């Protein structure tokens, strides 16, 4: 069972459930956490409450609707170097292609403590069909397709979502202390198109992640991997996020990337990114190049 949110009209956002055939059933809620909290008040699972509404007449299939982010995540956090592929890519950046040296990324990959960093806020996060932006002072940028965990304030996993952790490989490779600039800027994060309810997932490690990039209507990259390639456990990442830290209902934790385009590849203005996670759906975003602003002397 998936949960989406769509524009019912210009003034109203509508939460809805999507069945296995892709048909949409409206829910009497406008946001995901209100739905979750109501299920808890009624002593029901979120899945059980959603199933009560799919006996009604369905609407159209959700692919034909104007979707928004399924949740306004107050904060989006992200995990780094959680897959071997990600470790190798970070090492390539840090050593300018010389892979014969041990770096701090190797240490993070093997360490007890994972890398967790702040990625985005609701105002900086876009949904299906909205533009993700290319940072104006970077010449080497890629999408990072990731499985996201939708959490409540206690760290319970409510569902799974697709996420795009846009990244500047040249800025991070120049100096790891530049990580915030390599990761966070306007429209640098997208999530969607749906939340796959945790109650409906027997084994999240069986999920697969696929990334496709199109340029002038031609596919220029496709890669896929399984969540079972993750070096760490999902609950381990959550435990470090909430350790001595307050999080909010609806927080999203991205769990790291396992699909990386070739080292010579960089996104261009006008590209389209697709991130598909089995059971969740396909998150699709066009790419827009930000224009560098001239500095103004005081």
């Amino acid at each position: 069972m998936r949960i989406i949110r769509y524009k019912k009209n210009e003034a109203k956002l509508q939460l809805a459930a999507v069945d296995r055939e892709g048909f949409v059933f409206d829910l009497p809620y406008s946001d995901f956490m209100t739905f979750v909290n109501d299920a808890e008040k009624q002593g029901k699972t979120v899945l059980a409450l959603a199933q009560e509404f799919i006996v009604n007449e369905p609407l159209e299939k959700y692919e034909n609707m104007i979707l928004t982010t399924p949740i306004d995540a107050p904060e989006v956090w992200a995990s780094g170097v959680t897959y071997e592929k990600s470790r190798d890519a970070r090492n390539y950046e840090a050593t300018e292609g010389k892979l014969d040296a041990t770096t701090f990324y190797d240490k993070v990959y093997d360490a007890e403590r994972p890398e967790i960093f702040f990625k985005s806020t609701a105002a900086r996060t876009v949904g299906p069909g909205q533009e993700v932006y290319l940072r104006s002072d970077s010449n080497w940028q890629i999408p990072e397709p990731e499985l996201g965990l939708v959490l409540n304030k206690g760290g319970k996993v409510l569902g799974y979502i697709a996420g795009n952790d846009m990244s500047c490989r040249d800025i991070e490779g120049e100096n790891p202390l530049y990580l915030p600039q390599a990761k966070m800027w306007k429209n640098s994060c997208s999530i969607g198109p749906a939340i796959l309810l945790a109650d409906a997932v027997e084994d999240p490690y069986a999920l697969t992640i696929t990334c496709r990039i199109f340029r002038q209507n031609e596919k220029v990259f496709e890669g896929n991997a399984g969540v079972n390639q993750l070096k760490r456990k999902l609950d381990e990442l959550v435990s470090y996020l909430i350790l001595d830290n307050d999080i909010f209902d609806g927080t999203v934790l991205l769990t790291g990337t396992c699909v990386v385009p070739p080292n010579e590849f960089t996104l261009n203005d006008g590209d389209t990114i697709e991130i598909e996670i089995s059971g969740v759906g396909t998150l699709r975003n066009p790419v827009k190049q930000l224009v560098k602003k001239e500095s103004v002397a005081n």
Side-chain angles (χ1 to χ4, degrees):
M1 180 76 68
R2 291 173 290 171
I3 304 299
I4 62 168
R5 190 172 57 172
Y6 70 94
K7 291 185 178 180
K8 195 154 190 171
N9 54 53
E10 289 188 4
K12 182 178 180 181
L13 298 180
Q14 177 66 50
L15 205 69
V18 182
D19 66 12
R20 291 184 178 181
E21 287 71 41
F23 287 104
V24 175
F25 301 82
D26 277 353
L27 300 172
Y29 307 95
S30 60
D31 70 273
F32 182 72
M33 286 310 306
T34 300
F35 172 46
V36 170
N37 292 334
D38 197 25
E40 184 177 342
K41 289 178 183 178
Q42 295 184 41
K44 301 173 182 177
T45 66
V46 181
L47 177 60
L49 183 56
Q51 288 173 332
E52 293 182 9
F53 296 98
I54 65 171
V55 296
N56 301 321
E57 187 70 20
L59 304 175
E60 56 188 321
K61 290 199 172 183
Y62 83 99
E63 290 91 344
N64 302 321
M65 296 179 163
I66 300 175
L67 301 183
T68 69
T69 55
I71 188 168
D72 293 323
E75 294 181 345
V76 179
W77 295 76
S79 311
V81 202
T82 54
Y83 289 88
E84 183 177 359
K85 184 74 172 179
S86 177
R87 180 202 63 186
D88 293 345
R90 302 291 84 77
N91 278 339
Y92 185 93
E93 299 159 10
T95 63
E96 298 182 342
K98 302 172 185 177
L99 300 176
D100 56 350
T102 298
T103 73
F104 42 85
Y105 292 114
D106 292 291
K107 294 179 180 179
V108 168
Y109 185 73
D110 294 325
E112 178 180 350
R113 180 187 298 273
E115 177 192 12
I116 295 178
F117 57 90
F118 190 76
K119 172 65 184 180
S120 192
T121 60
R124 295 182 177 91
T125 304
V126 299
Q130 294 182 282
E131 293 174 331
V132 289
Y133 290 168
L134 296 178
R135 191 177 171 103
S136 64
D137 59 349
S138 170
N139 297 310
W140 189 13
Q141 299 181 66
I142 61 169
E144 293 197 5
E146 307 191 16
L147 175 69
L149 310 179
V150 181
L151 308 172
N152 69 9
K153 62 184 179 182
K156 179 182 178 181
V157 178
L158 305 173
Y160 304 96
I161 195 169
N164 181 359
D165 171 22
M166 294 282 287
S167 297
C168 301
R169 296 190 66 179
D170 49 354
I171 293 177
E172 184 175 358
E174 183 179 350
N175 191 316
L177 295 181
Y178 296 159
L179 181 67
Q181 296 174 77
K183 292 288 189 177
M184 184 188 292
W185 63 93
K186 185 177 181 180
N187 289 34
S188 63
C189 179
S190 64
I191 57 174
I195 297 171
L196 175 62
L197 294 178
D199 296 334
V201 178
E202 183 176 345
D203 180 11
Y205 299 98
L207 299 175
T208 58
I209 303 173
T210 301
C211 180
R212 306 178 193 92
I213 302 172
F214 296 87
R215 182 167 296 163
Q216 297 179 348
N217 297 319
E218 292 188 8
K219 184 166 61 178
V220 293
F221 171 76
E222 181 171 359
N224 59 79
V227 177
N228 60 1
Q229 296 172 244
L230 187 68
K231 171 78 181 297
R232 301 177 185 273
K233 295 297 183 183
L234 298 173
D235 57 358
E236 174 190 354
L237 296 174
V238 173
S239 70
Y240 274 94
L241 173 63
I242 66 175
L243 180 63
D244 297 332
N245 183 32
D246 288 330
I247 65 168
F248 308 101
D249 283 338
T251 293
V252 170
L253 173 61
L254 303 179
T255 56
T257 189
C258 53
V259 181
V260 181
N263 291 320
E264 65 274 11
F265 180 87
T266 189
L267 288 166
N268 285 350
D269 182 67
D271 287 353
T272 298
I273 303 164
E274 290 185 353
I275 296 173
E276 180 180 357
I277 297 183
S278 55
V280 175
T282 301
L283 174 62
R284 186 177 294 106
N285 298 101
V287 177
K288 180 179 180 179
Q289 175 69 63
L290 287 175
V291 178
K292 191 171 185 179
K293 297 180 180 179
E294 296 295 331
S295 60
V296 179
N298 293 326

